[in-house]
Amino acid sequence: MLSLNGKIVAITGASGGIGEATARLLAQRGAAVVLAARRSERIDAIAQDIREEGGRAATCVVDVTNAEDLRRLVSTTVERYGRIDVLVNNAGIAPISPLADLDTEGWSAMIDVNLRGMLNGVAAALPVFREQGKGHLVSIVSVAGLSVSPSMAVYAATKNAVRTVREGLRTESTDGVVRTTAISPGYIRTDLADSMADPDLRHRTRENMDAMGIPPAAVARAVAFAVEQPDDVEIGEINVRPTVQA
């Protein structure tokens, strides 16, 4: 198994689910992690757990829709650990609904968090990566961006847009300074359904997650695999899907 010793990794959306699992696993494998999310008490508790287990962890309260918050996350990471090797753009929401419901507030929220939040991370990290001479952007996307299901049109659009931005950045990064990876999970057992306004849809989604979902730790292992690779190896995209047997 490759080692993450010495890697410095900042993770958005780290107060639960995939972000929390990623922070815990990367810290166990030797990385120093900076947990970022809006819920300060939650990321502080997770970071304390990591430190008590012998890992290195710090926190930064961040709303990814605010560009200044992402700049502060990057600067906090550099000030604390001397550099930032990896930014994991993980924060995301899914207040999904049929388009006919005209939930324009939900549409805007998904665009702001899922897409604009990722772009804010790119804008904050890219200049620092260039100054350092290397850096790795990991984005948590979704298989929803590859196969659109009913009620998921806008959510899928935001995730597909994130995938497109990542691919565009990859094609522009011809000098080898910036590596990019997209991790695309299927159903994962997280609290993502809590942001859905429709109670029936929320209930069905939770049932699907319970029946077919895999643990957030599975996605965390995919992130770790991508981050562990040598600097001359780039893992473009990893799809993490549950296996359903008839």
Side-chain angles (χ1 to χ4, degrees):
M1 181 171 60
L2 296 172
S3 173
L4 284 170
N5 284 333
K7 290 281 189 179
I8 312 299
V9 184
I11 305 163
T12 67
S15 58
I18 293 169
E20 176 184 353
T22 299
R24 290 184 184 276
L25 178 62
L26 269 54
Q28 288 170 5
R29 295 194 181 181
V33 295
V34 180
L35 292 81
R38 290 176 297 181
R39 294 183 288 174
S40 61
E41 71 289 344
R42 181 61 186 152
I43 55 175
D44 286 345
I46 296 168
Q48 182 62 29
D49 285 348
I50 290 172
R51 289 191 293 267
E52 289 176 355
E53 293 173 0
R56 294 183 294 164
T59 63
C60 185
V61 177
V62 166
D63 179 346
V64 297
T65 66
N66 185 331
E68 178 56 36
D69 279 11
L70 269 300
R71 288 192 290 269
R72 182 164 46 80
L73 170 61
V74 171
S75 64
T76 296
T77 304
V78 173
E79 289 168 6
R80 179 69 179 264
Y81 294 112
R83 66 182 190 280
I84 176 170
D85 296 314
V86 185
L87 174 62
V88 181
N89 287 302
N90 167 69
I93 59 171
I96 64 174
S97 63
L99 288 172
D101 286 358
L102 302 179
D103 179 16
T104 56
E105 290 186 5
W107 302 347
S108 295
M110 284 186 282
I111 292 168
D112 284 345
V113 175
N114 300 351
L115 176 55
R116 198 185 308 278
M118 181 264 195
L119 288 169
N120 286 340
V122 171
L126 207 54
V128 178
F129 288 168
R130 291 288 177 199
E131 183 178 351
Q132 294 175 164
K134 65 178 182 178
H136 192 172
L137 279 160
V138 178
S139 297
I140 306 301
V141 194
S142 173
V143 296
L146 300 172
S147 177
V148 184
S149 302
S151 304
M152 300 186 74
V154 177
Y155 175 76
T158 64
K159 290 300 188 176
N160 218 341
V162 169
R163 177 178 285 105
T164 300
V165 171
R166 184 213 70 85
E167 179 62 12
L169 181 58
R170 184 193 68 78
T171 63
E172 294 176 11
S173 302
T174 56
D175 56 3
V177 171
V178 179
R179 292 192 295 165
T180 66
T181 300
I183 310 290
S184 292
Y187 276 119
I188 307 296
R189 292 195 290 272
T190 69
D191 59 1
L192 193 66
D194 291 349
S195 60
M196 299 174 188
D198 185 299
D200 292 333
L201 185 57
R202 185 168 60 243
H203 178 71
R204 289 197 304 273
T205 302
R206 283 175 177 160
E207 283 189 332
N208 287 336
M209 285 179 171
D210 290 341
M212 297 185 294
I214 57 180
V219 185
R221 288 193 292 273
V223 175
F225 174 76
V227 172
E228 286 170 338
Q229 302 307 308
D231 290 342
D232 60 345
V233 175
E234 182 174 57
I235 305 297
E237 180 159 1
I238 303 174
N239 293 344
V240 186
R241 300 172 184 255
T243 299
V244 180
Q245 297 181 348

